Amino acid sequence: MPVSGDAVTPRTAHGRGTGEGHGGKDGGGGGSSPGSALPRRVVALFAVAAGAAVANVYFSQPLLVTIGHDLGMSPAVVGSVVTLTHVGYGLGLFFLVPLGDMADRRRLVVAQLLLLVVALAVVAAAPTAAILLAGMAAMGLLAVVTQTLVAFAASLALPAERGRVVGLVTGGVVIGILLARTVSGLLADLAGWRSVYIASASLTALLALLLYRVLPRHGGTPPAPLRYGQLLRSTLTLFARERPLRLRALFGLLIFAAFSTLWSSVALPLSEAPYFLSHSAIGALGLIGVAGALAATVAGRLNDRGLSRWTTGTALALLTVSWLPLAFTRSSLWALAVGVILLDLAVQAVHVTNQTVLYALHPDAGSRLIGGYMVFYSIGSAAGAIAATTLYTTAGWGAVCVLGAAFSGSGLVLWAVTRHGSPDHTSEVTAREATDH
C-alpha cells in the first residue's frame, strides 16, 4: 500500500514498509527492465548529471568579488548571492523534490533541467544586481534536480545493488561540489565570470537531451495517487512517524554542519600569513576532497551487505578525529590535506548510508524521504557556514576547529546513544524486495 495523504505504509514484521524498488519498461536506450541490473553507463550518466546540477550552487563562491565589481554591488548585497542560492535550494528540497513520487520522474528531470538552463542564462546575461539575484534564487531552486536524480536511480536499481548505485551517484555529487569552485575560478580567469554560467547552461542542455533519450519512460516505483497538498503533508507525516528518518536527518544536519564549517572558512587562514595562497590555489584544495567520492562508493557496498550501523559509527569517529590534523593548518599544509581527506571520506560515507537506509523505509516515498532529509542538510550547511565565519573573526582558526569537532562529536554521541535501538534493517528489506523480483 503506497504512502498517500497523511497515511504511511504499514510496517511489516521487520518494521519496514513494503513496496517495490525497481521495475518498469525500458523506454530508452539505457533503461533498466525488471529483474536486471542498472547499466553502468546509465548510472554514470546519473552521476554526471547530478554532479553538474549541484555544482551550480557553488560556482559563485570564488566569483563574488568579481561579480560585485562588474555589477556595482555593495559587499552586503554580494554576500546575499550565496544566501539566496542556498535559500532557493532549501525551498526546492521541500516543494519540488517530493514531486518525484507523484509525477513521471523522467519528464520531471528533463523539465527541471531545461528550466535550469533558463535560470543559468538569466544569471549569465544579468545586467543588474536585482536580475542576478533573482536568477541565482531560481537556479538554486531548480538545482534540486540532483536529489530527484538520486531518488530516481535508487528506484531503478535492484534492491541488492541499491547501496552501490546510490553511492556512485552520490560520488558524482561529491565531485561536482568539490570541483565547482576550481572550475569556476579557472573559467573566470580565462573568459570572465559570465562564461561559467554559459558553459553550465550548455552542459545542462546537453544532459537534458541525453537523459530524455536514455531514461526509461516508466520505471522505478509507480507514481503515488496524491494531490500536491497531500504530497507535502505526507512528507511531514513521514517525519512524525518514522524514527529512522528523524535520526538520519539529525546525522545529516550534524555532518554537513561540520563539512560547511571547514569549507566555508578554510580560505581565510590560507589567504593570510604564512601562506598567502591565491584564489586558484585555494580552489585547488577541493581536488584533495574528491577522495570523498571513493568513500561514497565503498559505503554503498557496505550498506548492501547490511552494515549501515557499523558504517555510520566508524565514519562519525573518523569525522571527529579529522579535526585534530585540521587544527594544525597554520603550520602544515600536509596536516590540512590529511584532515580534508578524512573529513570528506567520513561525511560522504554517512551521507550515502543515510540515503540508502531512508529509501529502504518506503521505496514508494523515496523522493519525499530524500527531499525531507536534505532539508536538514541545508540547515546544517547554513549553520556551519555562519557560525564558522563569525567565529573565525572573533576567535581564530583554533576556535573554528573546536566548533567542527563539536558538531562531529555530537553526531558520534548521538550514534552511540541510539545504536542499540536502530538495528540494521537494510539487509532485511533488500532480501524481501529481492524476493518480490
Side-chain angles (χ1 to χ4, degrees):
M1 186 175 84
V3 177
S4 61
D6 291 334
V8 179
T9 306
R11 291 174 177 270
T12 66
H14 292 292
R16 291 292 178 269
T18 59
E20 296 185 11
H22 180 73
K25 291 183 179 181
D26 181 2
S32 180
S33 58
S36 66
L38 195 59
R40 290 186 178 181
R41 64 190 181 92
V42 177
V43 178
L45 183 58
F46 269 113
V48 171
V54 77
N56 292 297
V57 179
Y58 300 90
F59 280 146
S60 66
Q61 292 182 0
L63 310 177
L64 294 179
V65 174
T66 303
I67 293 174
H69 287 160
D70 187 27
L71 297 180
M73 301 163 67
S74 68
V77 176
V78 170
S80 66
V81 168
V82 175
T83 302
L84 279 175
T85 306
H86 282 280
V87 167
Y89 195 82
L91 292 173
L93 289 172
F94 186 78
F95 290 104
L96 293 185
V97 174
L99 288 172
D101 289 333
M102 67 176 291
D104 183 319
R105 282 184 175 140
R106 173 173 172 263
R107 291 183 179 180
L108 181 63
V109 165
V110 173
Q112 286 185 332
L113 287 173
L114 292 177
L115 289 173
L116 181 57
V117 171
V118 174
L120 288 165
V122 169
V123 171
T128 65
I131 293 177
L132 175 80
L133 293 175
M136 286 289 185
M139 185 185 69
L141 182 75
L142 294 163
V144 297
V145 68
T146 297
Q147 303 310 320
T148 304
L149 287 163
V150 172
F152 196 0
S155 74
L156 292 173
L158 291 171
E161 68 169 7
R162 185 173 294 141
R164 181 184 67 84
V165 169
V166 171
L168 288 169
V169 177
T170 302
V173 175
V174 175
I175 294 173
I177 292 173
L178 294 173
L179 294 187
R181 302 170 184 87
T182 304
V183 170
S184 65
L186 291 174
L187 283 177
D189 287 342
L190 291 173
W193 70 268
R194 296 179 189 273
S195 69
V196 175
Y197 297 98
I198 294 173
S200 182
S202 302
L203 176 60
T204 302
L206 175 61
L207 288 170
L209 175 62
L210 290 175
L211 288 167
Y212 179 78
R213 294 176 61 86
V214 169
L215 295 181
R217 290 185 174 84
H218 302 286
T221 53
L226 301 176
R227 295 179 180 177
Y228 184 61
Q230 293 175 314
L231 190 76
L232 297 183
R233 286 197 300 273
S234 69
T235 302
L236 299 176
T237 300
L238 286 166
F239 268 100
R241 298 188 181 183
E242 292 292 352
R243 181 176 180 270
L245 175 55
R246 296 193 299 272
L247 183 61
R248 291 289 164 176
L250 286 175
F251 283 143
L253 187 152
L254 291 169
I255 63 171
F256 281 106
F259 183 86
S260 185
T261 295
L262 173 66
W263 288 107
S264 65
S265 61
V266 70
L268 300 174
L270 294 180
S271 61
E272 299 171 351
Y275 301 118
F276 298 109
L277 296 182
S278 65
H279 291 300
S280 298
I282 294 172
L285 183 63
L287 297 174
I288 301 174
V290 171
L294 173 63
T297 303
V298 173
R301 294 183 183 277
L302 289 173
N303 278 281
D304 287 337
R305 294 168 56 188
L307 297 174
S308 59
R309 183 175 59 190
W310 180 89
T311 303
T312 301
T314 302
L316 287 169
L318 283 177
L319 182 61
T320 305
V321 169
S322 70
W323 290 99
L324 181 59
L326 287 172
F328 293 93
T329 293
R330 285 193 175 278
S331 58
S332 172
L333 288 178
W334 286 108
L336 172 63
V338 170
V340 165
I341 291 172
L342 288 177
L343 182 138
D344 281 354
L345 285 171
V347 167
Q348 300 311 324
V350 178
H351 185 43
V352 170
T353 300
N354 287 345
Q355 293 181 96
T356 306
V357 169
L358 290 180
Y359 191 88
L361 282 175
H362 294 289
D364 54 338
S367 291
R368 278 165 284 173
L369 288 165
I370 290 178
Y373 158 76
M374 289 297 294
V375 169
F376 284 77
Y377 148 91
S378 292
I379 294 171
S381 295
I386 294 171
T389 51
T390 302
L391 197 58
Y392 184 86
T393 303
T394 58
W397 179 248
V400 170
C401 291
V402 171
L403 174 68
F407 284 132
S408 307
S410 296
L412 183 59
V413 170
L414 179 63
W415 173 82
V417 170
T418 60
R419 64 192 179 98
H420 293 299
S422 303
D424 285 333
H425 289 289
T426 308
S427 57
E428 297 176 4
V429 175
T430 297
R432 185 170 60 256
E433 288 179 330
T435 301
D436 293 339
H437 294 286

